Amino acid sequence: MRAFSLRGSRGRHALFSVRSIVGQMFILQVVLVSLLVVAAALALVLQSRQDKTDAAFDRSLGVAQTVANAPGTREALVAPDPTAVLQPRAEAIRKDAAVDFVVVMDPTGIRYTHPKPDRIGKRFVGTLEPARRGEVVRESIKGTIGPLHQVVVPVENADGDVIGLVSAGVTVDRINLMIADELPIVLASAAGVLALATGGAALVGRRLLRQTRGMGPREITRMYEHHDAVLHAVREGVLILDEHNRLLLANDEARRLLGLPPDAPGRPIDELGLDRATVELLSADREVTDEVHLTGGRLLAVNHRPMPRGEGPPSSVTTLRDTTEMRALSGRAEAVQRRLSLLYTASVRIGTTLEVARTAEELTEVAVPDFADFVTVDLAAPVLRGEVASGREAPMRRAATGGITDDHPLWAARQRVSLDPKSPQIRGLASGQAVAESDLAGTDWWRAGDEEHARRLLDYGIHSLIAAPLHARGMVLGVASFWRSRNPEPFDTEDLSLAEELAARTAVCVDNARRYTREHDMAATLQSSLLPRGVPEQNAVEAAYRYRPAQAIGGDFFDVIPLSGARVALVVGDVVGHGLHAAATMGRLRTAVHNFAALDLPPDELLGRLSELADRDDRDESDTDGLGSVTGATCLYAIYDPVEGHCTMARAGHLPPALVHPDGRVEFPELSAQPPLGVAAVPFETAELRLAEGSRLVLYTDGLVEAPDRDIDEGLELLRTALTGRPGDPEEMCDAVLGTMLPAQPRDDVALLIASTRVLPPDRVASWDVPVTPASVTTVRAEASRRLASWGLEGISFITELILTELITNAIRHASGPIRLRLLLDRALICEVSDSSSTSPHLRRAATTDEGGRGLFLVAQYAEHWGTRYTATGKIIWAEQRLPRGYPV
């Protein structure tokens, strides 16, 4: 018990002794805390004074404005005795609002009210000029009742003139009394904080006293000097980590071997930039003895010992020793590792696109600066165009140049490159062998006949070169050249093999890009040749179209096809898929549409035959013929008749058209949804619309309205918005719609066709009912001749009468029912004879002994075109005649 009391007495004595580190720290902490507490208390008092001053100004402003705007204040100011009215009100407000005075005065500052009645009638003390201008004055002055804070506000009449002033304020004594009320709380809090800080310092001091074992500054300094000398003198690295794997200590050798930053102590070991294997080894819970570890380019012998529990705070100690005898082996291992890493990077980063030039650029990005200072890639000109490099001496062009700087003298991309084909090095490149040159100044083969350019390269400091051929599929595509200037080491044999590996990988990627470019160009050329080159001449509609291909060639198509009777067919379709197959399938479908349209088939029958064709092709084609199937293709077919002003349309799996009325309204006509072509053998349904002149029919493919970030309904609404109220001709509408709906690079092909309808004027249409008697031919022919004369077509009247005679006579002889004749004056003179028979005449060559059979032969000879189309009630036989030269159409 006595020993314990002595130990406690010595501990208290050391805690308060200035000779020990703990005592000095305790006294210093108490002094610093006392200063901080005093400063905090003073800051609180000053802050409280400022807050109360601000509150006094705000309260005074509110009181002054309340009095100035109170009912009756303006009337009292112009009354004979303002004091009698305003003094009682001002005193009542002053008492209720906890301010020291409320003074109402005239614009010159003569008081009408004051807490001390003897001051009424005297001049107000303060600044009044801004208030007379209608401004609010805030100021702190020494007034008649002592130092105070006051606010002066103006009182304005209905015309905005200042007729009086109101001032309210609080004295400084009132604010000091409020602060004095809070002072005991502040002092009590400061005392509590001081007592708490002193107690905490005492507790910390006792803890430090146990840790330092009561040693003084000299003893601790001497121990630190011995510790520091031992740590920095040894040739082994020493690391000490705590239980949370934070670095507690690292000597100079450990910092050098591991490349630790200056602020490493105290940081977690995994935040010091070490590789993962080193971090795992230093933080392991197992013992390690002389384990060889590669880190930072060095082979280190590592000894690691976790501190056993109970022998001090949890930690671990690690020693590191640099094994100098294995440095050469480490260098070779590092070179191999660097080479493997570069090859892996090349396999990942070269060939990410299918563009020839970009693939060449990727080689320069991979090889610089880890392997070469500069890299150039020269390709045969046909390869850049996607063609096969010929065995002849094809011209070479630089595809890419890259390096550590941009101010190099090497030729830039897209320049033509010429090499001496007679040199053995170039012949070696042609045969697929790489060439290394460590002394460019002593050789000539690489100069390419340009001595000035070669001199600039040497003056720049380029001294070593490896030229590796890009060899793939038995042909040389080009040459990759690796140059060194800043790196003083010339290329060696190991670098030569690495360059060959990089060139081989690049050559395969370049060849893949070349083949893709060729196929893409072929598909684009095929698709371009299969799409229409322009809108054919016709008067039924004013049409404009746009086609936006995606990166992958698709199968969207459109068409405007003139039909008989001044009519026109509008077609748009989409083939599922991309590439050469989609383009070829699109061409087949478009050709079929033209062939079926030439038969004057209605939309539903045309789509039915087109679907049968697609189904037959799908059954006939195999999966290995490279063409694939047509199933999945969609089509919308519409026929517009400018004479009647109506449009008949049908669709096979396609989106409905948009109809823009002349007044700007937009609607999507109701069309029966039918399956795509070749999917099901079902009859197609048609819809008939009556279109006013100037209506715009908008046909499009799904690429216009579909997108990954929106569904089809949202796309249709966007299209409706883009078309609503849109003025201008179809050309302007096409540009406006695409600018609104499409991004810069659409994901799918887009075909857009906009047709503005026209109506054939009534004075260019003539029709007659023909009695079924031979005598009626002469009458109708005479009437037709008179109508041609009114049109100014007397020159072709004879041929027209001959054609009409043959067509009407055939109808009377071989047809039945009512017969009707119609003449249309469009871009050609169209003669139509309709009847109720479904029997179609056909052209044949009559024998010399035949008495008939020459009528249609004469019609075919004199008419530019003729044909038959069927209607719901029969058929129409028509013939077109070319108008005289210069006739206005």
Side-chain angles (χ1 to χ4, degrees):
M1 180 67 69
R2 183 177 180 183
F4 177 79
S5 63
L6 287 175
R7 241 185 345 262
S9 176
R10 290 179 60 187
R12 288 192 297 272
H13 176 73
L15 179 62
F16 298 101
S17 174
V18 295
R19 294 184 178 180
S20 67
I21 292 180
V22 176
Q24 295 175 5
M25 294 181 61
F26 176 78
I27 295 173
L28 182 60
Q29 285 180 333
V30 171
V31 172
L32 289 176
V33 170
S34 300
L35 293 176
L36 291 175
V37 169
V38 171
L42 182 59
L44 287 175
V45 172
L46 295 177
Q47 181 64 38
S48 178
R49 175 180 293 276
Q50 182 63 39
D51 292 342
K52 288 176 172 52
T53 300
D54 294 339
F57 272 118
D58 295 339
R59 187 164 62 254
S60 300
L61 177 62
V63 171
Q65 290 179 339
T66 300
V67 173
N69 298 320
T73 300
R74 296 182 180 89
E75 292 78 6
L77 287 173
V78 298
D81 188 4
T83 301
V85 178
L86 296 175
Q87 176 68 8
R89 296 181 183 178
E91 287 300 297
I93 293 175
R94 178 181 65 81
K95 295 176 182 179
D96 294 338
V99 295
D100 290 317
F101 66 92
V102 176
V103 176
V104 184
M105 67 199 86
D106 65 4
T108 63
I110 302 302
R111 303 187 186 98
Y112 293 143
T113 66
H114 197 277
K116 296 180 179 181
D118 60 334
R119 306 294 171 87
I120 297 175
K122 297 181 180 181
R123 186 172 297 279
F124 179 77
V125 179
T127 304
L128 300 179
E129 187 59 29
R132 294 189 186 105
R133 296 194 301 266
E135 300 175 1
V136 176
V137 180
R138 299 165 59 105
E139 60 181 349
S140 299
I141 63 172
K142 185 175 182 180
T144 58
I145 58 176
L148 51 86
H149 307 291
Q150 67 182 8
V151 175
V152 180
V153 299
V155 180
E156 298 177 349
N157 59 14
D159 297 330
D161 298 329
V162 176
I163 60 175
L165 304 173
V166 178
S167 176
V170 178
T171 62
V172 176
D173 292 339
R174 178 187 289 270
I175 295 176
N176 291 338
L177 290 175
M178 290 188 289
I179 295 175
D181 294 338
E182 297 176 355
L183 191 60
I185 299 175
V186 174
L187 295 178
S189 301
V193 171
L194 181 60
L196 183 62
T198 303
L203 293 176
V204 173
R206 291 177 64 87
R207 175 69 177 176
L208 291 175
L209 187 63
R210 288 195 299 269
Q211 296 293 330
T212 60
R213 300 181 181 180
M215 291 188 296
R218 291 184 178 180
E219 296 172 322
I220 292 180
T221 301
R222 185 167 57 252
M223 183 183 68
Y224 176 79
E225 291 173 350
H226 294 168
H227 169 271
D228 189 68
V230 172
L231 282 180
H232 294 288
V234 297
R235 296 301 300 168
E236 287 190 356
V238 179
L239 296 171
I240 300 178
L241 306 180
D242 65 4
E243 59 181 333
H244 301 294
N245 291 327
R246 287 193 296 265
L247 182 63
L248 298 179
L249 183 143
N251 66 348
D252 293 345
E253 184 68 9
R255 292 174 182 270
R256 184 183 69 84
L257 295 177
L258 296 179
L260 299 178
D263 59 344
R267 295 172 58 185
I269 194 68
D270 57 356
E271 295 181 1
L272 301 180
L274 303 176
D275 58 89
R276 180 177 297 179
T278 302
V279 172
E280 293 177 353
L281 180 60
L282 295 178
S283 58
D285 294 333
R286 59 184 177 87
E287 291 189 2
V288 175
T289 302
D290 291 335
E291 181 175 313
V292 179
H293 181 73
L294 176 63
T295 179
R298 294 184 175 89
L299 284 175
L300 303 179
V302 182
N303 290 277
H304 179 74
R305 294 289 184 276
M307 183 71 70
R309 296 185 179 276
E311 297 185 7
S315 61
S316 62
V317 180
T318 305
T319 60
L320 310 171
R321 185 175 69 256
D322 192 359
T323 56
T324 55
E325 66 276 5
M326 301 181 67
R327 287 181 180 175
L329 178 60
S330 174
R332 290 194 294 271
E334 181 182 359
V336 172
Q337 180 68 24
R338 186 171 62 251
R339 176 175 178 175
L340 292 176
S341 176
L342 185 60
L343 290 176
Y344 172 75
T345 303
S347 65
V348 173
R349 295 180 54 187
I350 298 178
T352 58
T353 67
L354 289 174
E355 297 179 6
V356 175
R358 177 57 190 155
T359 304
E361 292 174 358
E362 289 171 343
L363 173 60
T364 66
E365 295 170 357
V366 169
V368 176
D370 294 336
F371 179 64
D373 295 331
F374 299 96
V375 178
T376 60
V377 180
D378 304 324
L379 297 176
V383 175
L384 288 171
R385 299 191 300 267
E387 302 173 2
V388 178
S390 62
R392 301 184 300 274
E393 299 175 3
M396 303 283 288
R397 290 196 177 275
R398 182 140 297 175
T401 300
I404 54 178
T405 62
D406 295 331
D407 59 346
H408 54 78
L410 292 165
W411 286 326
R414 293 184 294 276
Q415 287 190 354
R416 184 165 181 171
V417 179
S418 59
L419 298 174
D420 184 8
K422 298 181 180 179
S423 64
Q425 291 83 359
I426 301 302
R427 288 199 298 268
L429 290 175
S431 63
Q433 298 177 358
V435 178
E437 187 60 67
S438 59
D439 182 17
L440 295 182
T443 56
D444 297 330
W445 65 270
W446 58 275
R447 299 175 185 265
D450 192 339
E451 293 296 332
E452 182 180 354
H453 178 255
R455 178 53 53 190
R456 289 199 302 268
L457 295 182
L458 294 176
D459 293 342
Y460 188 79
I462 296 178
H463 58 82
S464 187
L465 164 68
I466 290 181
L470 301 178
H471 192 271
R473 305 182 191 276
M475 59 182 175
V476 177
L477 306 176
V479 178
S481 301
F482 304 88
W483 312 78
R484 279 185 180 175
S485 61
R486 186 174 300 178
N487 187 346
E489 297 294 330
F491 289 112
D492 54 22
T493 55
E494 292 185 357
D495 294 330
L496 182 63
S497 62
L498 177 57
E500 290 176 340
E501 286 282 347
L502 293 174
R505 294 174 184 264
T506 305
V508 173
C509 297
V510 167
D511 188 58
N512 290 338
R514 177 194 63 79
R515 298 176 62 192
Y516 171 79
T517 301
R518 181 186 62 183
E519 294 179 2
H520 183 274
D521 291 345
M522 290 173 58
T525 302
L526 174 62
Q527 184 188 47
S528 177
S529 64
L530 294 176
L531 288 174
R533 302 297 178 87
V535 177
E537 294 182 353
Q538 43 79 38
N539 289 339
V541 296
E542 179 185 358
Y545 64 87
R546 294 291 186 274
Y547 179 76
R548 287 284 182 86
Q551 181 65 27
I553 300 301
D556 293 10
F557 67 95
F558 60 92
D559 224 325
V560 178
I561 306 173
L563 301 177
S564 63
R567 300 171 304 145
V568 66
L570 305 174
V571 191
V572 67
D574 187 5
V575 176
V576 176
H578 297 87
L580 194 61
H581 155 63
T585 303
M586 178 268 289
R588 295 158 59 195
L589 287 180
R590 181 167 176 260
T591 301
V593 169
H594 269 268
N595 293 335
F596 292 144
L599 300 176
D600 264 327
L601 299 178
D604 55 342
E605 187 174 347
L606 184 142
L607 290 182
R609 296 197 181 186
L610 204 61
S611 182
E612 293 177 1
L613 174 65
D615 181 59
R616 183 169 61 253
D617 287 348
D618 291 343
R619 291 196 304 267
D620 294 341
E621 293 171 353
S622 63
D623 293 336
T624 59
D625 59 4
L627 293 177
S629 65
V630 184
T631 301
T634 64
C635 185
L636 172 64
Y637 188 82
I639 297 178
Y640 174 69
D641 187 350
V643 179
E644 303 294 337
H646 70 265
C647 180
T648 306
M649 62 183 68
R651 61 172 176 153
H654 204 82
L655 294 172
L659 177 60
V660 183
H661 293 278
D663 58 0
R665 293 182 299 108
V666 178
E667 67 171 323
F668 294 94
E670 291 291 338
L671 272 75
S672 176
Q674 301 293 328
L677 300 176
V679 173
V682 296
F684 292 91
E685 298 183 14
T686 61
E688 291 191 4
L689 304 175
R690 173 127 345 235
L691 304 181
E693 186 173 9
S695 301
R696 292 169 177 85
L697 197 61
V698 182
L699 283 67
Y700 53 91
T701 56
D702 57 0
L704 181 67
V705 295
E706 287 186 348
D709 56 346
R710 66 170 183 255
D711 58 22
I712 189 67
D713 293 333
E714 294 177 358
L716 292 176
E717 285 302 316
L718 286 176
L719 178 60
R720 183 195 301 272
T721 303
L723 292 172
T724 300
R726 179 72 63 182
D729 57 15
E731 292 285 347
E732 296 176 353
M733 291 185 64
C734 285
D735 294 334
V737 170
L738 293 186
T740 303
M741 301 288 295
L742 293 186
Q745 293 293 333
R747 298 172 59 92
D748 193 9
D749 285 17
V750 175
L752 175 65
L753 177 62
I754 300 180
S756 178
T757 61
R758 297 168 176 168
V759 175
L760 193 64
D763 59 353
R764 291 199 169 203
V765 180
S767 61
W768 299 271
D769 292 326
V770 181
V772 189
T773 60
S776 62
V777 176
T778 302
T779 304
V780 172
R781 186 172 58 192
E783 294 180 0
S785 180
R786 286 192 293 271
R787 177 52 61 95
L788 290 179
S790 67
W791 287 342
L793 297 176
E794 297 88 345
I796 61 173
S797 176
F798 175 75
I799 297 177
T800 304
E801 292 179 8
L802 176 61
I803 293 175
L804 291 179
T805 301
E806 295 298 335
L807 295 182
I808 296 174
T809 301
N810 284 340
I812 294 174
R813 288 182 178 179
H814 305 291
S816 60
I819 301 173
R820 187 171 181 81
L821 168 64
R822 187 171 70 168
L823 296 181
L824 305 177
L825 180 57
D826 192 47
R827 303 187 69 87
L829 178 63
I830 305 171
C831 305
E832 296 181 345
V833 176
S834 61
D835 57 60
S836 60
S837 172
S838 60
T839 303
S840 175
H842 60 278
L843 182 66
R844 67 184 182 87
R845 183 175 294 276
T848 56
T849 58
D850 291 343
E851 295 182 358
R854 297 176 177 82
L856 287 181
F857 181 78
L858 292 176
V859 172
Q861 291 297 314
Y862 289 110
E864 186 175 8
H865 302 289
W866 76 278
T868 304
R869 70 174 183 269
Y870 292 94
T871 64
T873 59
K875 69 176 183 298
I876 297 175
I877 303 178
W878 55 270
E880 291 185 3
Q881 294 174 254
R882 182 178 302 174
L883 298 178
R885 186 182 302 273
Y887 189 84
V889 295

